[in-house]
Amino acid sequence: MEHPTKEGVESTEVLVENCKKWPQYLAASLATLYAVCVGTVDGWTSPALPYLQEPRVLHHHNSTNTTLYYTITDDEASWIGSLAPLGALLGAIPAGYLANVLGRRLLLLLLVVPLMLGWIIIFVAQDSVPWLYCARFIMGIACGAATVATPLYNEEIAEVRVRGTLGVNMDMMFNVGILYIYVVGALDSYVWLSVSACVVPAIFAVTFFWMPESPVFLLSKGQTEKAEQSLRWLRGIGKTKSPDIERELGQMQKFLNESLSKKTKPVTEKTKCRVFKECFADISMSSPTAKAVRIIFGLMTFQQLTGIDAVIYYTVDIFRDAGSSLSPFVCTVVVGILQLISTYIPSLIVDRAGRRILLILSELGMAVSLLVLSLHFAMQNNRADVSWTGWIPLAAVNMFIVAFSIGFGPLPWLIMAELLSAEAKVWVSSMAVCLNWSLTFAVTKLFPIINRDLGPAMTYGGFCFICILGTAFVILFVPETQGKSREDIQLELIAK
């Protein structure tokens, strides 16, 4: 979208008073149902891997015979956990291009196919390790592409007044998926994990099918009438003529025309040097885009190196190793519930408290909780009596989850959309998502190995140190974007 001018801001304020918010909330919520699907993929390993790593007997409903399942090794379990992030890395690469060719809505609907295929393979294959590898990789591709397309869709349908709330919605729905799969894993069998997970993408496909396409995308394809219909629905205006709708469409079209003119401007011998200088300025280290990229990549790096996905993927194992007095599966459900509740908090305060303070509190909270967890394991390794501290692992992990959810969980995705100019949004988003999933793959693959070789105390102590570095990064480099127009944010990046 175009950076708002004074006239644009005034027209937006008029439009805000005359339109309804609920259609935007509905469309964004249904779009982020795919984030629930991503959450089920990420959370599946926590209840599933313990089943796969223990000797189990399958009782056939039509036979008295029993068949012993194959028990997977620790290395196979780490690959099962990490192949989904690896697939997501590859899926994110073409996602920005496909979102511009197919549209945000159609791409998300098409991504249901590989997701359903993956769950069906898991259900049919059950404990066949090669097929589990294949299924996790396929589902990862769909998840990676969706994490690019969903923020684009939500940002382009939202007004400024609800941009923050809708921006953190994806992370909250992601946690809904994790909690859902945790509960199913605690209450039912391994086989029904996959069956239950198939329900979510089916609901997404049926409901999101009726939502409109992004008006920005429709305008970029010359479909002005459809773009107007989409914007009218999203703003709750109906079929009544509205100068505010026409003005907003005009602003979108003007911006798209300016972007197109830059791309299609003929390059003569006289202008080659100028064009080269303009392109170099866009990618130079001092340009607003380059500064935004450094901030975004830093946030994505610290988001994953806190160890959040290691906690999500191996929650049951963490509680087992810690000797928690409660059932590891019950502890996992408690973590999922608290994670969902705490993720709702930013949607209430992010447009009031600001982004920086939540990020700083998030990192400090995670550092403290990881330090407590590290000290608990250190006492356990030194053969100290920890029977009376069985509640500490649950409290520490819950504190970690809450701290992550109020800041570093949802806010990097929101800040990414706020810092980038419209020209850079698609390609930088794809790169940032690739980085995010690359680090997710590295953490989930290496965590079991590091945890085994160095021990839990050193592992969680290392994550604690990274959180302290993340706090310093936010204080020194991340600007406050709360309440600022995109134009103000770009000017601040230029001035930094």
Side-chain angles (χ1 to χ4, degrees):
M1 283 189 186
E2 183 182 12
H3 304 314
T5 60
K6 288 183 179 180
E7 294 176 358
V9 172
E10 290 174 359
S11 66
T12 302
E13 289 174 353
V14 173
L15 182 59
V16 164
E17 295 179 359
N18 294 334
C19 74
K20 302 172 184 176
K21 291 191 293 184
W22 71 263
Q24 298 170 69
Y25 278 94
L26 177 61
S29 297
L30 293 180
T32 50
L33 269 179
Y34 206 102
V36 179
C37 303
V38 178
T40 60
V41 174
D42 272 17
W44 177 84
T45 54
S46 185
L49 291 182
Y51 279 113
L52 293 170
Q53 290 185 286
E54 292 179 356
R56 301 166 321 283
V57 175
L58 173 65
H59 296 273
H60 295 284
H61 68 278
N62 58 352
S63 173
T64 57
N65 295 328
T66 60
T67 303
L68 187 66
Y69 273 60
Y70 168 72
T71 302
I72 66 172
T73 65
D74 289 341
D75 185 61
E76 289 170 338
S78 69
W79 276 111
I80 291 172
S82 58
L83 275 173
L86 184 61
L89 163 64
L90 296 181
I93 295 173
Y97 172 78
L98 292 174
N100 277 348
V101 173
L102 301 174
R104 288 75 161 120
R105 171 183 169 275
L106 180 57
L107 176 59
L108 285 171
L109 289 172
L110 290 176
L111 290 175
V112 171
V113 177
L115 197 64
M116 293 289 285
L117 176 62
W119 287 122
I120 291 171
I121 291 174
I122 288 179
F123 174 73
V124 173
Q126 295 191 7
D127 63 349
S128 171
V129 173
W131 281 110
L132 288 175
Y133 287 168
C134 179
R136 294 283 293 171
F137 187 76
I138 291 172
M139 291 190 293
I141 291 174
C143 293
T147 51
V148 175
T150 304
L152 283 177
Y153 181 84
N154 284 356
E155 196 274 338
E156 290 177 352
I157 68 171
E159 303 169 65
V160 175
R161 63 172 173 166
V162 297
R163 191 177 67 201
T165 302
L166 297 187
V168 300
N169 197 29
M170 186 175 79
D171 195 63
M172 183 173 68
M173 299 295 272
F174 171 77
N175 291 329
V176 170
I178 292 176
L179 174 60
Y180 172 72
I181 209 71
Y182 280 180
V183 171
V184 174
L187 298 178
D188 218 322
S189 65
Y190 167 78
V191 173
W192 281 100
L193 274 174
S194 304
V195 177
S196 303
C198 284
V199 175
V200 184
I203 293 174
F204 166 78
V206 171
T207 56
F208 189 63
F209 177 82
W210 305 101
M211 293 298 102
E213 179 58 88
S214 158
V216 176
F217 170 77
L218 292 171
L219 278 178
S220 71
K221 297 302 179 182
Q223 302 177 27
T224 306
E225 186 175 342
K226 289 185 178 180
E228 182 177 352
Q229 292 174 358
S230 172
L231 194 60
R232 284 181 179 278
W233 190 91
L234 290 167
R235 300 298 183 258
I237 299 297
K239 297 183 179 180
T240 307
K241 277 199 170 185
S242 171
D244 300 316
I245 291 290
E246 295 175 2
R247 192 178 296 114
E248 190 173 2
L249 282 172
Q251 292 168 3
M252 294 178 185
Q253 187 64 65
K254 180 183 177 183
F255 169 74
L256 290 170
N257 290 340
E258 289 175 354
S259 299
L260 184 62
S261 66
K262 288 180 183 178
K263 292 180 181 179
T264 58
K265 185 177 179 180
V267 181
T268 64
E269 290 297 328
K270 293 182 180 181
T271 61
K272 279 183 180 179
C273 183
R274 182 184 300 172
V275 170
F276 176 78
K277 288 180 179 179
E278 290 176 354
C279 293
F280 182 77
D282 287 340
I283 61 174
S284 69
M285 296 302 290
S286 60
S287 68
T289 298
K291 293 175 182 176
V293 167
R294 289 198 293 271
I295 294 168
I296 293 165
F297 280 22
L299 290 174
M300 292 296 180
T301 299
F302 284 109
Q303 182 194 59
Q304 290 305 317
L305 293 187
T306 58
I308 180 62
D309 280 294
V311 173
I312 292 174
Y313 279 54
Y314 302 104
T315 308
V316 171
D317 292 336
I318 290 172
F319 288 124
R320 280 183 174 173
D321 294 341
S324 175
S325 55
L326 294 175
S327 164
F329 289 95
V330 173
C331 291
T332 299
V333 173
V334 172
V335 168
I337 293 173
L338 196 61
Q339 184 176 16
L340 175 59
I341 294 172
S342 57
T343 310
Y344 182 66
I345 297 173
S347 67
L348 301 176
I349 63 176
V350 69
D351 285 324
R352 297 184 180 90
R355 284 53 160 161
R356 273 170 55 86
I357 185 64
L358 291 179
L359 288 171
I360 293 170
L361 291 175
S362 177
E363 282 284 36
L364 291 176
M366 286 189 288
V368 171
S369 59
L370 288 168
L371 178 61
V372 171
L373 200 59
S374 177
L375 292 175
H376 175 84
F377 279 110
M379 291 173 59
Q380 190 181 62
N381 291 340
N382 291 327
R383 302 186 183 279
D385 182 16
V386 295
S387 58
W388 60 276
T389 62
W391 56 272
I392 287 182
L394 178 60
V397 171
N398 280 336
M399 181 180 175
F400 175 84
I401 291 294
V402 171
F404 179 82
S405 299
I406 66 170
F408 257 84
L411 293 183
W413 305 101
L414 171 61
I415 292 173
M416 177 174 68
E418 292 180 326
L419 290 182
L420 293 174
S421 63
E423 296 89 346
K425 190 183 300 179
V426 171
W427 65 271
V428 174
S429 296
S430 293
M431 289 175 60
V433 171
C434 284
L435 173 64
N436 192 285
W437 284 108
S438 298
L439 293 171
T440 302
F441 168 73
V443 170
T444 53
K445 184 68 179 77
L446 296 177
F447 172 77
I449 300 171
I450 296 174
N451 196 44
R452 179 193 63 205
D453 295 343
L454 298 182
M458 289 291 292
T459 302
Y460 296 113
F463 285 142
C464 174
F465 179 70
I466 292 172
C467 289
I468 295 172
L469 293 179
T471 305
F473 174 81
V474 174
I475 294 172
L476 294 175
F477 300 109
V478 179
E480 181 56 72
T481 58
Q482 184 259 335
K484 297 177 182 177
S485 68
R486 292 184 179 90
E487 186 179 50
D488 291 337
I489 294 171
Q490 292 299 309
L491 290 174
E492 185 173 342
L493 288 174
I494 293 172
K496 285 180 71 70

